[in-house]
Amino acid sequence: MRIPKKLINDPSKVAKEQLEGLIAANHGRIQAIGDKGAVCVNPLPSPQVAIVTGGGSGHEPMFAGYLGPGLATAAACGDIFAAPPPGVILDAAQAADQGKGVLFVYGNYAGDNMNFDIAAELADDEDIETQTIRIWDDVASAPLSKIKERRGVAGDLFVLKIAGAAAAQGKSLGQVTEITAHARDCTRSVGVALSAGSIPQTGKYNFELPDDELEYGMGLHGEPGVSREKMASADTVVEQLLDRIIEDLPFVAGDKVCLLINNLGSSTVMELLIANRKVHSYLESKNIEVHDTLIGSYCTSQEMAGYSISLLKLDDTLTPLYDAPCHSFALRK
Amino acid sequence: MRIPKKLINDPSKVAKEQLEGLIAANHGRIQAIGDKGAVCVNPLPSPQVAIVTGGGSGHEPMFAGYLGPGLATAAACGDIFAAPPPGVILDAAQAADQGKGVLFVYGNYAGDNMNFDIAAELADDEDIETQTIRIWDDVASAPLSKIKERRGVAGDLFVLKIAGAAAAQGKSLGQVTEITAHARDCTRSVGVALSAGSIPQTGKYNFELPDDELEYGMGLHGEPGVSREKMASADTVVEQLLDRIIEDLPFVAGDKVCLLINNLGSSTVMELLIANRKVHSYLESKNIEVHDTLIGSYCTSQEMAGYSISLLKLDDTLTPLYDAPCHSFALRK
């Protein structure tokens, strides 16, 4: 049995300390709001709809790594794999609001849903108008007929990118909400895990996988996937992942997509690139054009080995918003 | 005993396939030169000194991930942890040369040194003028009195960044060489490993570390470090690393530096951010200003757990070159 080996300090303070490290890495471009996990860009952009995101920590650089011009305005960061409290979300919303309203954009998990909804009520008491887009891009987490039960995973990034770009163009809260919902509806993801991540506070792995098996559809917190199978070649695994994604939207010949191959934690960059080779040849064989390719650690689950693939289907609305410039710790365009 | 678990295809083809994946991720901005591991930007920039880098594969995204405007022009990629053959280096040099000469910039390893030197002779036969800068930023790999025996590690990135920016400004081969040597001389790195990476072709780990120990100064191919110690807190480890770096150059009060916290493979982004928190407070306590912070997988050793810290001391020459725009797969400014 492996023992989780991590360079941390007090295990109960990892969420706080990683956020301090992220703030330091931003060189003044983001700042803490209070000391409970809210963080906001600094200075605020010219008045626009505020994009407020958040969720549990432990998925670095998601979520607070995506604060900056053309992306999110503020984030509420919970403890490791725990939803941020409503008060922290309210802190983020109040810091980000410029009188144009706040769009909450976050992954679809029961705890996050509850706390963001409470925060929306608290914001209403403060005369801050809010709207909400929950992201449910993980095709493995529920059938299409129950899409609102699906989890949000790395596709969060695409949805945040579009939301941030739409807000930066000065669109109204209603318009930004509509476009963000559209981006969410055009995004699909699925992942494969080879080994588990561990939780710093407990020093325990989220799950166990035999040395000769992998699991499709594993969640970002170790939620069970859809099938365990024997280890297979990268090309076989990529085909399995893409088959699930393609048929779900569906993505069809003539489509133009953005691609994200997301390291769930401890996969090598070499493996991500080998996967990318196959993704491109697979999509080319389907006559699906890849407009842009992102590869790296964008939404992690501690040291989980494996990766997820996300596709965003572009159209005349989404393409210019995706291509718009943005500047954050973890994504620059 | 853990078993290395990786999503690959034929283990003998990982270097080739990762490069194909990298080329696909560049969407036409780089192209293969032949089929033996040379790759070059496409199209070439307006005529300038060519920056040609390279080395063994397995360190992705180093080296070929840093090709593009304001960075390297071409790269020669060997097999996993193996120097590229002279003919591949010559391929890269010939593709990149625009009559302004070629600067070879690479890490200081016996195999790379030999093959790049042979390639320089071959290039001379083809009337291509070359100069060479070997990078030896790893302070743990030899004493300062034998600096030319030190290995090149993640600090390669800083040196390539400066070289690429100087070349893009249209400077002469002599000027670019002088500035690149200066950047090399202002760069220091040291790493810590918690566990080993494995080699795809053999399926074996490079070394073993007990579950309760870490090793300072471990090389990128598993070369022995300078000391094995009991696991310690992140803050203690960062202090140990920075103490070694600071005293070596030395970096002193009033200095302005660029910082790179480089994931050696499978450390979590959370750990890198927690390290960054301490690095910034340490440097602030020494009155050393951090001009920019890079955190992520820039130069890896397969799935080795741990990270390295690199500092580049800036001055009036280096600051504008570091700040100059660049565009590559793995670094954009």
Side-chain angles (χ1 to χ4, degrees), chain A residues 270 273-274 276-277, chain B residues 13-26 30-40 57 60 63-65 67 75-78 88:
Chain A
M270 178 190 78
L273 292 172
I274 290 172
N276 186 53
R277 167 183 173 273
Chain B
K13 293 183 178 162
V14 291
K16 180 173 185 291
E17 293 192 350
Q18 66 82 16
L19 190 56
E20 290 172 4
L22 180 71
I23 290 169
N26 273 271
I30 69 174
Q31 63 181 344
I33 306 300
D35 62 355
K36 303 224 171 359
V39 59
C40 185
S57 294
E60 291 73 29
F63 295 86
L67 301 189
C77 306
V88 176

Side-chain angles (χ1 to χ4, degrees), chain A:
Chain A
M1 177 61 190
R2 284 187 300 140
I3 295 175
K5 220 172 173 184
K6 286 181 186 170
L7 286 174
I8 58 177
N9 298 302
D10 181 344
S12 71
K13 293 183 179 162
V14 290
K16 181 174 184 290
E17 292 191 352
Q18 66 82 17
L19 190 56
E20 291 172 3
L22 180 71
I23 291 168
N26 274 270
H27 290 270
R29 294 185 292 267
I30 69 174
Q31 63 180 343
I33 306 299
D35 62 355
K36 302 222 172 0
V39 59
C40 185
V41 299
N42 175 42
L44 288 171
S46 56
Q48 61 171 58
V49 170
I51 306 298
V52 175
T53 187
S57 295
H59 306 296
E60 291 73 31
M62 191 72 76
F63 295 86
Y66 301 111
L67 301 188
L71 267 168
T73 321
C77 306
D79 207 341
I80 299 294
F81 296 176
V88 176
I89 301 169
L90 181 65
D91 286 346
Q94 286 182 309
D97 179 57
Q98 298 181 289
K100 304 281 186 180
V102 171
L103 179 61
F104 289 137
V105 183
Y106 57 93
N108 187 43
Y109 296 89
D112 293 299
N113 296 349
M114 183 175 72
N115 289 359
F116 271 92
D117 282 351
I118 295 170
E121 291 179 22
L122 297 173
D124 186 60
D125 294 342
E126 305 288 334
D127 291 326
I128 298 173
E129 188 182 4
T130 67
Q131 290 288 335
T132 292
I133 296 295
R134 295 173 181 163
I135 305 165
W136 41 62
D137 55 310
D138 182 2
V139 302
S141 52
L144 185 58
S145 60
K146 296 181 178 177
I147 193 168
K148 294 183 181 179
E149 295 178 14
R150 287 180 175 176
R151 299 183 288 257
V153 291
D156 291 357
L157 176 63
F158 285 145
V159 183
L160 283 172
K161 173 70 185 77
I162 299 297
Q169 288 187 352
K171 295 185 189 298
S172 70
L173 180 58
Q175 291 170 322
V176 175
T177 304
E178 186 181 345
I179 289 168
T180 305
H182 177 53
R184 183 265 315 277
D185 295 341
C186 292
T187 301
R188 294 291 188 277
S189 304
V190 69
V192 61
L194 304 189
S195 63
S198 66
I199 298 176
Q201 290 96 327
T202 65
K204 291 198 161 44
Y205 289 102
N206 284 326
F207 58 90
E208 291 199 37
L209 261 171
D211 284 336
D212 62 344
E213 292 186 14
L214 51 77
E215 182 160 342
Y216 289 105
M218 179 72 67
L220 280 179
H221 313 89
E223 297 95 332
V226 290
S227 70
R228 286 199 173 188
E229 301 184 15
K230 291 294 174 190
M231 278 292 288
S233 72
D235 285 359
T236 300
V237 169
V238 166
E239 277 181 6
Q240 289 276 326
L241 296 173
L242 285 174
D243 283 350
R244 290 176 193 274
I245 291 175
I246 295 294
E247 72 178 19
D248 194 87
L249 192 67
F251 295 85
V252 299
D255 280 353
K256 187 171 71 168
V257 300
C258 294
L259 164 66
L260 167 60
I261 302 179
N262 173 57
N263 192 348
L264 288 168
S266 61
S267 286
T268 60
V269 180
M270 178 190 78
E271 291 168 271
L272 305 178
L273 292 172
I274 290 172
N276 186 53
R277 167 183 173 273
K278 179 66 179 176
V279 173
H280 275 256
S281 69
Y282 177 108
L283 293 175
E284 188 176 358
S285 76
K286 303 280 188 188
N287 197 25
I288 295 169
E289 179 191 349
V290 183
H291 178 70
D292 193 35
T293 303
L294 301 176
I295 300 174
S297 297
Y298 288 91
C299 179
T300 61
S301 179
Q302 294 290 307
E303 73 271 42
M304 188 190 288
Y307 46 74
S308 61
I309 298 177
S310 303
L311 295 182
L312 166 67
K313 177 178 170 169
L314 294 173
D315 57 24
D316 291 345
T317 301
L318 297 179
T319 302
L321 293 168
Y322 182 84
D323 288 341
C326 68
H327 186 100
S328 69
F329 170 73
L331 182 70
R332 294 180 191 188
K333 283 189 74 71

Side-chain angles (χ1 to χ4, degrees), chain B residues 136-153:
Chain B
W136 42 61
D137 54 310
D138 182 2
V139 302
S141 51
L144 184 58
S145 60
K146 297 181 178 177
I147 194 168
K148 293 183 182 181
E149 296 178 15
R150 287 179 175 177
R151 299 184 287 257
V153 290

